[in-house]
Amino acid sequence: MHLSMWTYPWDVQDQGISAFATELKDRAGLGTVSLATSYHAGRFLQPRSPKQKAYFPEDGTVYFQPDQTLWAGKTIQPLMARNAVERGDMLKALTEQRSETKLKVSCWTVCLHNSRLGALHPDHVTRNAFGNANYYNLCPSSPAARDYVVTLVRDITTNYRPDMLELESPNFMGFAHEYHHEKDGVGLNAEDDFLLSLCFCEHCMARAAKADVPIEASRKAVSRFIAELCERAVPEVQFPDFPEAGIDAFRAHPELHAFLGWRTEPVTSLIGEIKAAADLSTRIVLIDLKDGWLGGVDLGVVGKLCDGAILCCYDATPEAVAEVIRTGREALGPDKFLGVGLRVFYPEVASPEILVARVKAAIEAGAEGVNFYNYGLIPAPRLDWVKAAADVAKGGRAPKLQGDRPGLRPV
């Protein structure tokens, strides 16, 4: 059973490796650490840290020492975070000390979500139907962006040999909540956000045209939809069965429907190239959401190319968690790894019972592992909640915890 917790390098540095490993194993009941090895900017409240209660990581940096022999001549280059330079390479320390810590190491690797690199390389980011750049998202159709991600994974897996590497954002990203200080006075609904996220950069245009996709007609249709949504007094739903129907929500627009059917190709082929370049000792899995098709992910096809997936069900009922896992298992088949990602944030997880119920539902539906989010962002007592859930995942019963509230049921 794969049981892990997403963790930032500074969390390990602040606690010390020995204390961190003991807490993760003994208090939380886990056997793996999923360490951020490539990450974006943010502002984090750090309740666990004795040194820094608020932390602002650098944007778009890596938390390991890049192998310069692999990066020579590459258009897009990684930048090693000052944190790793000044406070130590935690990936190196954790992989080298696996026999002492008894923890497996998974690399939580952000791929194409990178505002720093997007600003440096605007010719390689996604662009909407009007040609406006999304600087936070390198495009999976760009040869330079693809080369960057493939080399990133090759570097990590060949030089550090982690047990697993988790791919976050090797795909097209949405429009909302991907940058910072976002302003939207229109009130975008889900279909509006999707239309604004569709990429028509020169790389997508050329790649789609080569596949005989009516890309220019699709771009014109999407630009018309965007213009119309910007002119309405209040938002309106134009595609009633979106997103439940998938790309078939757009079946009345054949050119757009054809483009959306093709849109998985850059993502699928990129993940295939990543897996082919990775060291065989490291399992490569995708981190994704319930409706992965929105980002161009065809889970069934991707599952044939990599080693599996972790499907995030952060704020979901046990019934919804089970449905996501059942659907994921059907797509991946019986032989690929399937994990669930669960957040331990309040108020969506207000008691250990809620977390336990979600884990139980996931395991019964076919999940082989659980990743919890996030070690440094939650108060220490919630690690006891994680332990209760981990015990259930291992086939045991959750212990009664001090402070449990009788009668509270999962939502």
Side-chain angles (χ1 to χ4, degrees):
M1 178 65 64
H2 168 89
L3 295 170
S4 188
M5 200 160 203
W6 284 304
T7 304
Y8 300 121
W10 49 90
D11 296 327
V12 183
Q13 292 158 346
D14 287 351
Q15 299 292 335
I17 289 181
S18 179
F20 165 77
T22 298
E23 190 167 54
L24 208 66
K25 287 188 319 229
D26 298 342
R27 185 166 189 179
L30 309 179
T32 303
V33 52
S34 292
L35 187 75
T37 48
S38 172
Y39 207 68
H40 48 72
R43 185 207 67 193
F44 305 130
L45 175 63
Q46 298 283 125
R48 304 298 321 288
S49 175
K51 301 178 180 180
Q52 46 195 11
K53 294 304 181 187
Y55 190 73
F56 292 76
E58 288 178 88
D59 192 13
T61 56
V62 300
Y63 293 87
F64 65 93
Q65 176 64 63
D67 181 348
Q68 295 306 319
T69 62
L70 295 177
W71 292 98
K74 304 292 185 185
T75 299
I76 302 178
Q77 297 273 335
L79 174 65
M80 188 176 182
R82 287 195 302 271
N83 168 280
V85 174
E86 296 169 359
R87 301 189 66 192
D89 183 343
M90 291 299 99
L91 179 57
K92 182 175 187 289
L94 286 167
T95 52
E96 289 184 349
Q97 295 181 41
R98 275 177 284 199
S99 60
E100 290 82 16
T101 65
K102 309 301 182 187
L103 287 176
K104 292 182 179 180
V105 179
S106 185
C107 290
W108 172 22
T109 306
V110 175
C111 298
L112 296 172
H113 184 187
N114 197 311
S115 299
R116 184 187 70 82
L117 290 178
L120 287 173
H121 302 281
D123 292 340
H124 301 286
V125 300
T126 62
R127 292 178 177 268
N128 64 27
F130 286 85
N132 311 130
N134 298 312
Y135 293 104
Y136 53 82
N137 188 189
L138 296 170
C139 182
S141 289
S142 160
R146 295 169 72 91
D147 194 21
Y148 165 75
V149 176
V150 169
T151 307
L152 185 71
V153 174
R154 179 190 291 125
D155 194 345
I156 294 169
T157 59
T158 57
N159 288 299
Y160 290 87
R161 305 290 180 90
D163 300 279
M164 179 182 284
L165 186 141
E166 304 163 15
L167 300 171
E168 178 181 324
S169 71
N171 54 335
F172 297 102
M173 300 177 67
F175 179 72
H177 307 304
E178 307 296 0
Y179 201 60
H180 60 86
H181 290 295
E182 296 158 325
K183 308 296 181 183
D184 164 26
V186 173
L188 300 175
N189 59 34
E191 67 185 39
D192 298 337
D193 179 84
F194 178 65
L195 291 166
L196 280 162
S197 76
L198 295 177
C199 181
F200 297 94
C201 73
E202 62 177 297
H203 307 291
C204 279
M205 296 286 283
R207 198 174 181 100
K210 189 175 181 180
D212 294 325
V213 173
I215 187 66
E216 180 57 26
S218 301
R219 188 196 64 78
K220 288 180 178 178
V222 173
S223 63
R224 184 177 74 253
F225 291 139
I226 293 173
E228 290 171 353
L229 74 87
C230 290
E231 292 167 0
R232 298 187 186 104
V234 295
E236 297 177 19
V237 172
Q238 303 301 304
F239 304 96
D241 51 357
F242 176 90
E244 290 76 17
I247 67 171
D248 285 343
F250 302 92
R251 57 190 171 274
H253 306 275
E255 294 88 355
L256 178 55
H257 189 267
F259 165 66
L260 295 177
W262 166 84
R263 186 168 167 260
T264 62
E265 188 280 329
V267 178
T268 298
S269 59
L270 174 57
I271 293 174
E273 290 178 20
I274 289 170
K275 173 61 177 175
D279 190 274
L280 294 175
S281 64
T282 302
R283 288 197 293 176
I284 305 297
V285 303
L286 172 69
I287 300 175
D288 206 4
L289 301 171
K290 170 180 175 286
D291 291 316
W293 72 270
L294 295 171
V297 173
D298 184 330
L299 190 60
V301 177
V302 166
K304 294 179 174 64
L305 299 174
C306 67
D307 296 304
I310 297 169
L311 301 180
C312 295
C313 301
Y314 285 164
D315 190 8
T317 64
E319 293 77 16
V321 171
E323 179 59 27
V324 169
I325 296 302
R326 280 193 294 267
T327 301
R329 176 55 70 200
E330 182 179 354
L332 289 171
D335 301 324
K336 297 289 183 167
F337 172 79
L338 177 59
V340 65
L342 296 174
R343 197 157 54 187
V344 196
F345 284 11
Y346 185 90
E348 66 194 56
V349 177
S351 75
E353 292 92 346
I354 294 173
L355 189 62
V356 165
R358 291 174 180 171
V359 167
K360 184 173 184 292
I363 299 301
E364 290 177 350
E368 300 171 75
V370 187
N371 272 43
F372 298 93
Y373 190 93
N374 171 298
Y375 176 81
L377 300 181
I378 62 173
R382 283 191 220 157
L383 294 177
D384 301 328
W385 301 8
V386 171
K387 176 68 160 57
D391 286 346
V392 168
K394 295 171 188 174
R397 298 184 62 182
K400 186 69 176 177
L401 298 176
Q402 186 177 2
D404 283 1
R405 288 176 284 172
L408 186 61
R409 293 291 180 265
V411 297

